[in-house]
Amino acid sequence: MTREARRGGSSGAPRSVDVARLAGVSQKTVSRVFNDEPYVSADVRRRVLDAAEELGYRLNSAARALASGRTRSIGVVTLGTALYGPASLIMGVERAVRDTGYTLRVVNTMEGDPAGVAGAVDSLLDQGVDGIVISEPIDDGYDGDLSARLDVPVLVLGAPPFPAPKALAAGVGADLMAHTATEHLLELGHDTVHHLAGPQRWYAAQDRLEGWRAALTEHDRTVPPVVEGDWSASSGYAAGRELASDGNLTAVFAANDDMAIGLIRALTEAGLRVPEDVSVVGFDDIPVAAYVTPPLTTVRQPFDAVAQEGLKRLVHTIENPQADPLPASDPPIDLVVRASTAPPPTRQARPGRRTASRSSRGRRSPPLNGGTNAHN
């Protein structure tokens, strides 16, 4: 009988229930066999192992795990990219893992592959990892159910959690950081804030757009049309050339620093001064942000803190499977105020810009209450 027929035509990775059905035993007996528990007859043990081998169940990984109780390894699913944010987060995970006594096994996915996450998860499970970190920043369109495969604790970074029995989330809160960046510009007196967004297939781009829009809506400000880039400085430059023709433009929140830097270059070439004419805020606080002209106001992402807390919670769940998960802390919001933001210019014509009438700019509200966690 073929493997597919043995499963009754089911698809996906084989599970312990499939092994139990084929061996003619209970699922608990399968668990006892793979946990090397006593009081299992030699005949039953042989039937279970034979069924597991026929189905392609993770027999080899289980055998390796039995030798030490656990493989003491953590798998990471990540998009293969050199972009600063995802790369920094993975570096933070690598540093955090060193302190846990676990080894790290990384599987890269490719953008545009709908089955990339599912395939990566299966690969790591086949290696017998004790837990999985999913740092997959893109909505890849995969609509399958991974919950049957995810029989180990899973930590999801910066994205919605997968429907797994032991799913944890960390690195959320980009919407609150974007909200703070937008409010900083409103507090300076700008009537509204334009947004240079990242590609909307990325969860981070969606969150930052949501936080920007929420801040404007809460304060009854006009929500300008969104300009979308691709995270690169060149796309920020292209957006800046487009936005420079808007005579009502006084403030822009860019979804990352690279796009903000390209934007500033285009505005400068169009004869607009930053921040005297247009204020710009970025996101990430890349190393060069403090050294561009003008130094860039930005939101600093706590990559190491997110990784350390996330790994601590993941390891706790691995080693204490019956205990409640450790609670997640609120993400820190660190707005680094530099020289690229200032109050809006006075209402007067400037070279290359048309005069903006009061009626076309929307209502000006008094300064907002509250401050931000700002550092020079």
Side-chain angles (χ1 to χ4, degrees):
M1 184 177 294
T2 66
R3 179 180 298 181
E4 191 64 27
R6 291 282 192 181
R7 293 189 206 170
S10 63
S11 60
R15 299 171 296 170
S16 61
V17 65
D18 301 314
V19 175
R21 186 180 299 114
L22 182 56
V25 299
S26 70
Q27 194 170 358
K28 178 62 176 176
T29 298
V30 173
S31 176
R32 285 172 177 164
V33 170
F34 284 110
N35 288 323
D36 203 23
E37 295 180 11
Y39 310 116
V40 179
S41 70
D43 177 65
V44 168
R45 188 179 301 276
R46 178 188 55 77
R47 283 158 47 199
V48 168
L49 295 177
D50 287 347
E53 182 176 5
E54 180 174 345
L55 291 175
Y57 189 68
R58 293 186 302 277
L59 174 62
N60 292 336
S61 298
R64 288 194 300 270
L66 286 174
S68 62
R70 292 193 185 96
T71 62
R72 295 201 65 81
S73 63
I74 292 174
V76 177
V77 179
T78 181
L79 182 73
T81 177
L83 288 172
Y84 179 79
S88 296
L89 192 55
I90 290 303
M91 289 177 61
V93 170
E94 291 176 342
R95 285 190 287 264
V97 165
R98 295 174 192 160
D99 299 329
T100 67
Y102 284 72
T103 59
L104 199 64
R105 302 178 181 179
V106 179
V107 177
N108 290 321
T109 60
M110 297 297 293
E111 185 172 355
D113 179 8
V117 174
V121 166
D122 277 340
S123 174
L124 290 169
L125 291 176
D126 285 342
Q127 297 176 55
V129 297
D130 298 316
I132 292 178
V133 177
I134 298 180
S135 179
E136 173 62 40
I138 291 180
D139 181 359
D140 60 12
Y142 177 74
D143 58 2
D145 183 7
L146 286 171
S147 60
R149 299 178 175 87
L150 293 174
D151 53 359
V152 298
V154 178
L155 172 67
V156 182
L157 298 177
F162 287 96
K166 299 178 181 179
L168 308 170
V172 296
D175 56 333
L176 300 178
M177 299 178 194
H179 190 285
T180 296
T182 306
E183 282 205 324
H184 166 66
L185 292 165
L186 296 178
E187 287 172 349
L188 288 172
H190 295 273
D191 288 334
T192 192
V193 178
H194 287 66
H195 183 41
L196 171 50
Q200 290 302 294
R201 290 184 61 229
W202 289 64
Y203 296 113
Q206 296 171 18
D207 289 344
R208 294 168 203 184
L209 186 149
E210 180 182 340
W212 161 79
R213 180 181 286 129
L216 294 181
T217 302
E218 287 171 14
H219 297 289
D220 194 24
R221 305 301 176 90
T222 301
V223 179
V226 174
V227 179
E228 184 173 329
D230 63 7
W231 299 126
S232 69
S234 61
S235 71
Y237 179 82
R241 296 188 64 175
E242 176 182 344
L243 290 170
S245 63
D246 185 343
N248 294 325
L249 181 75
T250 68
V252 182
F253 164 52
N256 79 336
D257 291 344
D258 284 320
M259 292 194 298
I261 291 169
L263 169 77
I264 291 173
R265 172 65 180 270
L267 295 177
T268 301
E269 289 182 358
L272 301 176
R273 300 166 299 166
V274 176
E276 293 85 356
D277 298 326
V278 181
S279 289
V280 177
V281 176
F283 200 104
D284 282 339
D285 195 26
I286 63 176
V288 74
Y291 303 100
V292 295
T293 303
L296 182 64
T297 295
T298 185
V299 180
R300 177 178 295 150
Q301 288 220 68
F303 297 114
D304 283 347
V306 167
Q308 289 170 5
E309 178 181 284
L311 263 295
K312 178 181 178 181
R313 296 173 63 219
L314 178 64
V315 171
H316 175 270
T317 301
I318 291 171
E319 298 183 349
N320 303 275
Q322 305 304 320
D324 292 334
L326 295 176
S329 61
D330 293 331
I333 299 178
D334 190 2
L335 178 67
V336 184
V337 178
R338 298 191 180 105
S340 66
T341 53
T346 56
R347 301 290 193 271
Q348 60 183 1
R350 293 187 294 251
R353 299 175 65 109
R354 64 179 184 274
T355 302
S357 66
R358 172 73 70 174
S359 62
S360 69
R361 299 185 58 81
R363 180 175 62 83
R364 167 167 292 194
S365 298
L368 307 176
N369 293 326
T372 60
N373 182 19
H375 299 277
N376 291 318

